[in-house]
């Protein structure tokens, strides 16, 4: 799989997702935090891939996973899909897939401002 470039907005959004979940949503292993309270373990896993701009920063599309569970779901996309249905319900998954295919103009400057503010306000 070709890698997608990670920019500062992705980094801040990934912190926000991991602080929201505080653990792997599959195996429940806890997220480790740095002295300043930022996540230093786990990953923010996109259900609909990062290439899809319209759901790239959609909190419903992204779940905290540990490295092992993230790798497992990447290798087993059918199980990843079923797990999404199990934890979110078919209706939410259907609407997420639909949203992920809508056109969306890229605005990373705005995304960075927005997610920095959410990070400051929510945690
Ligand atoms: Zn895990």
């Amino acid at each position: 799989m070709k890698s997608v470039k990670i920019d500062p907005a992705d980094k801040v959004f990934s912190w926000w997702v991991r602080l929201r979940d505080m653990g792997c949503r599959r195996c429940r292993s806890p997220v480790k935090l740095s002295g300043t309270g930022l996540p230093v373990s786990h990953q923010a896993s996109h259900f609909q891939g990062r290439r899809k701009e319209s759901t790239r920063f959609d909190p419903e599309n992204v779940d905290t996973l540990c490295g092992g569970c993230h790798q497992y779901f990447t290798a087993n996309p059918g199980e990843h899909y079923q797990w999404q249905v199990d934890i979110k319900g078919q209706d939410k998954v259907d609407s997420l897939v639909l949203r992920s295919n809508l056109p969306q103009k890229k605005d990373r400057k705005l995304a960075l401002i927005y997610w920095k503010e959410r990070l400051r306000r929510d945690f």
Side-chain angles (χ1 to χ4, degrees):
M1 192 161 63
K2 234 171 72 189
S3 68
V4 183
K5 202 168 167 269
I6 309 291
D7 71 24
D10 291 310
K11 199 171 133 187
V12 172
F13 179 57
S14 168
W15 283 336
W16 185 89
V17 169
R18 286 178 284 164
L19 287 171
R20 177 195 65 187
D21 297 340
M22 286 308 289
C24 176
R25 292 205 66 193
R26 180 165 177 259
C27 75
R28 306 281 166 203
S29 59
V31 168
K32 293 184 182 77
L33 302 181
S34 72
T36 55
L38 289 175
V40 290
S41 70
H42 294 58
Q43 294 153 4
S45 159
H46 285 70
F47 169 45
Q48 298 298 302
R50 244 197 208 97
R51 236 176 234 89
K52 293 177 168 183
E53 195 65 28
S54 58
T55 44
R56 185 170 182 138
F57 299 100
D58 184 331
E60 277 196 7
N61 185 46
V62 186
D63 301 288
T64 300
L65 293 176
C66 70
C69 290
H70 200 176
Q71 263 186 332
Y72 180 82
F73 280 146
T74 302
N76 300 280
E79 285 195 40
H80 190 195
Y81 180 86
Q82 190 52 53
W83 180 73
Q84 289 287 322
V85 172
D86 292 345
I87 64 168
K88 295 172 186 174
Q90 189 69 58
D91 285 355
K92 272 198 174 161
V93 167
D94 288 347
S95 94
L96 196 50
V97 172
L98 210 63
R99 277 205 312 280
S100 77
N101 291 310
L102 295 174
Q104 169 81 46
K105 199 171 172 241
K106 184 166 145 177
D107 190 344
R108 294 300 158 69
K109 277 185 185 161
L110 184 61
L112 179 60
I113 290 165
Y114 178 81
W115 287 105
K116 268 183 169 171
E117 176 61 18
R118 286 292 302 268
L119 194 69
R120 198 183 62 77
R121 202 188 337 168
D122 297 343
F123 307 109

